[in-house]
């Protein structure tokens, strides 16, 4: 057919159980979940005819300018240039994973290696960050959309979605509808039912994570085809601290008496013991370790002590009159509610 038409062909191979797609002669054959739509094939044909070498396209230093960020972009693009279709970036929190992803997207699009991009997260906050501080900031002229449940607009170039939302609607897409999928916090998204989304799409897949390599599960490396558990690009917390891009965190330990000594029946007021006895819970079972607080037993005074500790010993904001932006990690939702109530009781002036 090529001799007759003088055009390259898309080749699909199937035995009724498996389907293989061969973008001949540009890429190696690969297994896919279903046949591509005509729109997808037309876009892939356009890329075949127009793509340039990534090594000839400079990285946009308006997006990233730190040496480790530039290196991450180059490493991923080198792998894609070789024909690899998966890459994993491991970067410490706060060192600009989203910006690195945007620089890679910018380079792939300017080289005409990719046209349609999906940025996938597992939390709404990360979705908003990718859209507002990523696509809207660096791709002002490109069409973009956030995927919600319901009708999906397939005529955009840049897409953002949570994996939970995409799980509900991904069959509406053709497997070839995206050229690149970037997965933020990828180590959380490639397991169990979420994995179906990744294996459905025939796209270059780039994973982002801040989880240190010695904690990442081997499945993450295997999924992104990283040999010897070595990510495509790595920038650790220690490197970031040494190079002054991050400040080392410090732990200030504090514990209440009950958290240290635990709880004995003698620590519990008589009226509470009488009430518990009426419910069939007797004094000889009222022994708790300090680690059981907020898991098996709630202590009002402990939550108030935690709140006081934060307010009296935590950092203040720039004015010195208000607490700095602070996150308190509670044991449970109920514990979070009790901490909130303690804060409202002790410091109502902060509203």
């Amino acid at each position: 057919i090529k001799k007759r038409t003088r055009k390259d062909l898309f080749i699909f191979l199937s035995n009724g159980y498996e389907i293989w797609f061969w973008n001949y002669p540009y890429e190696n054959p690969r297994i896919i979940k279903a046949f591509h739509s005509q729109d997808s094939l037309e876009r892939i044909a356009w890329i075949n005819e127009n793509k340039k070498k990534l090594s000839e396209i400079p990285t946009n230093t308006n997006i990233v300018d730190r040496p480790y960020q530039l290196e991450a972009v180059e490493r991923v693009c080198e792998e894609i240039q070789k024909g690899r279709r998966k890459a994993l970036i491991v970067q410490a929190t706060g060192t600009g994973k989203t910006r690195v992803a945007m620089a890679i997207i910018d380079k792939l699009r300017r080289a005409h290696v990719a046209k349609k991009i999906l940025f996938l997260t597992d939390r709404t906050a990360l979705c908003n960050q990718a859209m507002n501080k990523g696509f809207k900031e660096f791709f002002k002229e490109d069409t973009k959309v956030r995927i919600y449940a319901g009708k999906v607009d397939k005529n955009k170039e840049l897409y953002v979605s949570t994996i939970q939302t995409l799980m509900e609607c991904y069959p509406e897409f053709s497997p070839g509808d995206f050229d690149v999928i970037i997965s933020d916090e990828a180590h959380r998204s490639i397991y169990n039912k979420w994995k179906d989304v990744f294996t459905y799409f025939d796209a270059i897949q780039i994973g982002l994570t801040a989880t240190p390599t010695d904690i990442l599960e081997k499945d993450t490396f295997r999924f992104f085809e990283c040999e010897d558990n070595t990510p495509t690009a790595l920038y650790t917390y220690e490197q970031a601290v040494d190079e002054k891009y991050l400040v080392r965190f410090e732990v200030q330990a504090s514990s209440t008496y009950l958290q240290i000594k635990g709880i004995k029946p003698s620590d519990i007021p008589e009226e509470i013991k009488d009430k518990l006895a009426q419910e069939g819970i007797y004094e000889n079972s009222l022994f708790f370790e300090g680690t059981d607080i907020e898991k098996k037993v709630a202590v009002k005074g402990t939550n108030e002590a935690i709140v006081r500790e934060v307010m009296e010993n935590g950092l203040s904001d720039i004015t010195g009159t208000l607490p700095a932006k602070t996150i308190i990690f509670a044991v449970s939702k109920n514990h979070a509610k009790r901490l909130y109530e303690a804060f409202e009781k002790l410091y109502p002036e902060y509203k």
Side-chain angles (χ1 to χ4, degrees):
I1 296 172
K2 182 174 180 179
K3 286 180 180 177
R4 190 168 69 245
T5 64
R6 297 181 182 177
K7 291 183 179 179
D8 293 316
L9 305 171
F10 293 120
I11 300 170
F12 289 92
L13 308 167
S14 180
N15 59 3
Y17 299 98
E18 291 183 357
I19 302 172
W20 287 70
F21 173 55
W22 193 358
N23 182 10
Y24 177 86
Y26 301 97
E27 297 170 330
N28 295 328
R30 57 183 179 266
I31 196 167
I32 58 175
K33 289 288 185 179
F35 294 104
H36 292 346
S37 68
Q38 184 169 328
D39 286 344
S40 295
L41 294 177
E42 288 175 356
R43 191 188 71 257
I44 295 168
W46 184 90
I47 290 172
N48 288 343
E49 293 173 10
N50 293 277
K51 67 180 176 181
K52 305 170 186 174
K53 287 185 176 181
L54 285 165
S55 55
E56 297 174 355
I57 306 297
T59 301
N60 187 343
T61 53
N62 290 322
I63 303 177
V64 291
D65 57 2
R66 296 176 179 178
Y68 67 87
Q69 294 173 331
L70 295 167
E71 181 181 351
V73 173
E74 291 305 316
R75 283 178 178 268
V76 170
C77 289
E78 283 172 7
E79 294 301 298
I80 294 172
Q81 184 79 55
K82 291 176 186 175
R84 295 189 187 277
R85 295 178 61 79
K86 291 190 178 185
L88 178 63
I89 299 172
V90 178
Q91 241 178 260
T93 299
T95 56
K97 292 191 302 298
T98 301
R99 292 182 79 97
V100 168
M102 294 301 145
I104 291 170
I105 292 168
D106 173 76
K107 193 162 182 170
L108 293 175
R109 282 175 57 78
R110 285 190 291 123
H112 303 315
V113 170
K115 289 186 73 176
K116 294 182 75 170
I117 314 289
L118 170 64
F119 196 102
L120 205 53
T121 77
D122 68 342
R123 297 204 308 276
T124 297
L126 294 176
C127 253
N128 295 337
Q129 177 180 303
M131 177 60 81
N132 298 326
K133 294 187 177 180
F135 288 157
K136 286 184 178 179
E137 184 172 347
F138 302 117
F139 302 93
K140 292 182 173 66
E141 306 301 320
D142 299 312
T143 57
K144 54 192 80 68
V145 68
R146 166 86 181 269
I147 298 175
Y148 294 98
K151 190 70 176 174
V152 178
D153 186 347
K154 299 181 184 177
N155 297 314
K156 305 297 184 183
E157 296 166 306
L158 306 174
Y159 294 76
V160 175
S161 177
T162 62
I163 194 164
Q164 293 89 339
T165 298
L166 197 65
M167 189 72 194
E168 301 299 319
C169 63
Y170 76 88
E172 293 182 31
F173 291 93
S174 159
D177 273 351
F178 298 110
D179 301 308
V180 176
I181 297 176
I182 293 182
S183 171
D184 201 1
E185 299 304 336
H187 63 284
R188 292 202 294 258
S189 307
I190 61 170
Y191 297 102
N192 305 322
K193 60 183 180 180
W194 309 132
K195 194 171 183 179
D196 292 344
V197 174
F198 288 92
T199 56
Y200 176 76
F201 288 107
D202 176 38
I204 293 169
Q205 296 176 345
I206 302 171
L208 311 175
T209 182
T211 302
T213 53
D214 56 346
I215 296 175
L216 278 178
E217 295 184 33
K218 290 183 179 179
D219 286 347
T220 306
F221 294 109
R222 193 176 298 118
F223 182 85
F224 288 100
E225 299 176 357
C226 299
E227 295 181 10
D228 302 321
N229 292 354
T230 303
T232 313
L234 173 65
Y235 191 67
T236 66
Y237 166 76
E238 295 296 337
Q239 288 175 285
V241 170
D242 289 343
E243 295 175 10
K244 304 294 190 288
Y245 290 115
L246 292 181
V247 177
R248 188 176 297 281
F249 67 85
E250 296 177 9
V251 176
Q252 178 178 314
S254 61
S255 300
T256 64
Y257 173 85
L258 294 179
Q259 285 175 315
I260 296 169
K261 298 293 186 181
I263 299 172
K264 305 183 297 293
S266 59
D267 299 316
I268 301 172
E270 289 299 324
E271 63 269 22
I272 293 179
K273 284 192 278 190
D274 292 342
K275 185 178 178 181
L276 290 172
Q278 292 173 13
E279 298 174 6
I281 303 171
Y282 299 104
E283 187 167 331
N284 60 1
S285 65
L286 299 179
F287 290 88
F288 301 95
E289 299 291 335
T291 53
D292 290 333
I293 294 177
E294 288 302 337
K295 294 178 181 176
K296 295 180 180 179
V297 60
V299 181
K300 193 174 184 179
T302 296
N303 290 328
E304 292 181 359
I306 290 170
V307 170
R308 282 198 185 93
E309 184 77 24
V310 170
M311 294 299 291
E312 292 172 6
N313 297 303
L315 297 175
S316 297
D317 72 352
I318 195 168
T319 67
T321 58
L322 292 168
K325 185 182 286 187
T326 305
I327 300 175
I328 300 177
F329 292 97
V331 171
S332 64
K333 289 183 179 179
N334 286 332
H335 184 212
K337 183 172 182 288
R338 286 190 280 269
L339 284 167
Y340 159 78
E341 290 166 349
F343 193 96
E344 291 293 284
K345 175 186 172 183
L346 296 172
Y347 301 97
E349 65 270 26
Y350 291 118
K351 299 178 178 57

